[in-house]
Amino acid sequence: GEWIAGELDAARLSPGRAAGVVTVAVPRAHLVLKRVTIPALRESSPDLIPAVRLAVARQLSISAEGAVVDFIVLSDDGPPTPGVTVLAAALPAERARWYKELASAAGFKAPRLVPRACALAALLAEPAERAGAPLVGVLPGPGSVEVLVMEGGRLASVRAADHPAPAPDASAEA
């Protein structure tokens, strides 16, 4: 966090930082993702948030206590059988605390945590809707790559794969 603060100061990006919120794109490896269908509810229902949190807590392989849970709606089935399918992401409490401490040390308020694939989906939503056809986004990272498919401006599918770090180039050291 202190290194980040120093780099922001060096780039003269520090004014107002203490009042600002930082968005952190969380890698897939730090999250537990669950596709959950909540029957008999609609996207606009005020009961959707607690229903998703309860459904995810029952399925988690990590402790649900203190875990940060959020979701995006994948589909909202209309009549005659209403139901909402969501992609829920759970971040373990310990990792959420680490991101909060990192942001604080860098001079920010509590961070806004967003799965990396959802951050890319937000950037691709408008072009995907205009395309009128499925759109594929690829998000490479230092130890993984995430691939997502957008349909009609909405996230339809996400997959992630780990990849090994490249071997050091011996000729570059000579």
Side-chain angles (χ1 to χ4, degrees):
E2 293 173 8
W3 175 82
I4 293 171
E7 292 298 308
L8 291 172
D9 289 342
R12 298 178 189 218
L13 296 173
S14 57
R17 187 169 69 225
V21 176
V22 65
T23 299
V24 177
V26 179
R28 168 66 180 94
H30 295 184
L31 300 167
V32 176
L33 295 180
K34 296 286 182 184
R35 188 182 184 113
V36 178
T37 298
I38 308 296
L41 286 181
R42 301 299 307 259
E43 183 175 354
S44 59
S45 171
D47 296 328
L48 183 61
I49 294 171
V52 168
R53 290 184 186 276
L54 179 61
V56 169
R58 290 179 176 166
Q59 297 182 28
L60 284 179
S61 57
I62 61 170
S63 170
E65 187 162 335
V68 175
V69 177
D70 202 358
F71 65 92
I72 60 169
V73 174
L74 297 177
S75 68
D76 186 356
D77 299 330
T81 56
V84 180
T85 301
V86 302
L87 177 63
L91 182 66
E94 182 178 305
R95 181 57 68 172
R97 194 170 24 262
W98 182 82
Y99 281 119
K100 184 177 181 179
E101 290 169 1
L102 179 69
S104 178
F108 290 98
K109 289 182 176 181
R112 176 175 182 250
L113 303 172
V114 178
R116 282 178 40 189
C118 292
L120 181 58
L123 293 173
L124 294 177
E126 186 180 328
E129 192 158 348
R130 278 194 319 244
L135 186 119
V136 175
V138 179
L139 186 60
S144 67
V145 63
E146 296 179 51
V147 178
L148 58 96
V149 177
M150 302 286 295
E151 289 187 73
R154 294 186 106 159
L155 184 62
S157 178
V158 179
R159 295 292 180 262
D162 293 334
H163 61 79
D169 185 359
S171 63
E173 295 176 9

